[in-house]
Amino acid sequence: MSPKPNGNSLDSKIEYAGALPNQDAVAAPAGPPLPLTSTFGNPTPAGMFAFAGTMLLMALYNLGAGGVHVSNVLVGMLVFAGGIAQFMVAMWEIARGNTLFATCFLSFSTFWLSYAAVLIPSFGVMEAYKDAPEELPKALGLYLFVWFITIFLHLPAVIGKSHMFTVLLSFASLAVLMLSCGMYTQIKTLSIVGNSLLLVVCSLAYYIGLAGLLASDPGSAFTLPLF
């Protein structure tokens, strides 16, 4: 004699609202798929902090803060904070559908990584100019001028959308232009002006990052306005 099925048996029938489903009924045609709801957080604060920290350290070294003239410690910041972290933020922004911020962070991540390649000995960039050292300042000046153009072309996309980002990119463009001219002409005053402007850019980036972080957390004790 076979055992009687109980309520916990896998053979027992599953009831739907007290009745068995009609297996002979024709299934209704499937409608369009429901849109996926994004659960991504806001990556902008992380990107702004990485951007500000990398630029601040570079400006301090270039201004000779603390008597430091060998700036190899900067390479770690260039690769990991300026490069990899901002690249990840850019991909995050793309997933959120934010093309503007994705483009900005991706552009700056490539800038930091390319600058790190100049300083890393295994890339051989500095070594290539050992027989023509007078060409190195001009090469770096042209390199920075190309990045001035790249940064400046981001401005039309933010004008009228965010006053803070407009000011930040304006100062960043001017700073890189001064650095480019200072490097190319070897006029130290221009380099000092450019690095001093970078300190302004860092302050704006830290402010935007903190304001975004506070705004993203409903439990924040206070918030900062973004204009």
Side-chain angles (χ1 to χ4, degrees), residues 3 24 48 95 106 117-118 125 148 150 165 184 196 214 218:
D24 297 330
M48 297 307 299
L106 187 58
V118 174
V125 177
F148 154 71
T150 303
F165 271 98
Y184 191 90
S196 300
L214 293 173

Side-chain angles (χ1 to χ4, degrees), residues 114-141:
S114 63
Y115 187 55
V118 174
L119 300 178
I120 296 174
S122 59
F123 279 89
V125 177
M126 295 294 191
E127 183 69 16
Y129 291 92
K130 65 178 182 179
D131 296 328
E134 71 281 356
E135 293 183 11
L136 181 58
K138 295 186 182 299
L140 290 174

Side-chain angles (χ1 to χ4, degrees), residues 155 158 162-172 200-201 204:
L155 269 173
V158 299
S162 171
H163 297 301
M164 294 289 292
F165 271 98
T166 301
V167 174
L168 184 148
L169 288 177
S170 298
F171 273 98
V200 178
V201 176
L204 291 170

Side-chain angles (χ1 to χ4, degrees), residues 148-227:
F148 154 71
I149 296 174
T150 303
I151 297 171
F152 181 79
L153 290 178
H154 287 72
L155 269 173
V158 299
I159 293 176
K161 297 179 181 178
S162 171
H163 297 301
M164 294 289 292
F165 271 98
T166 301
V167 174
L168 184 148
L169 288 177
S170 298
F171 273 98
S173 301
L174 184 58
V176 175
L177 178 61
M178 292 294 102
L179 292 173
S180 171
C181 295
M183 183 64 71
Y184 191 90
T185 62
Q186 290 293 279
I187 299 176
K188 188 175 181 180
T189 304
L190 292 175
S191 296
I192 293 175
V193 171
N195 284 291
S196 300
L197 289 173
L198 289 183
L199 297 179
V200 178
V201 176
C202 295
S203 301
L204 291 170
Y206 274 129
Y207 180 91
I208 294 173
L210 180 58
L213 182 62
L214 293 173
S216 300
D217 185 2
S220 299
F222 64 95
T223 57
L224 295 174
L226 280 174
F227 304 102

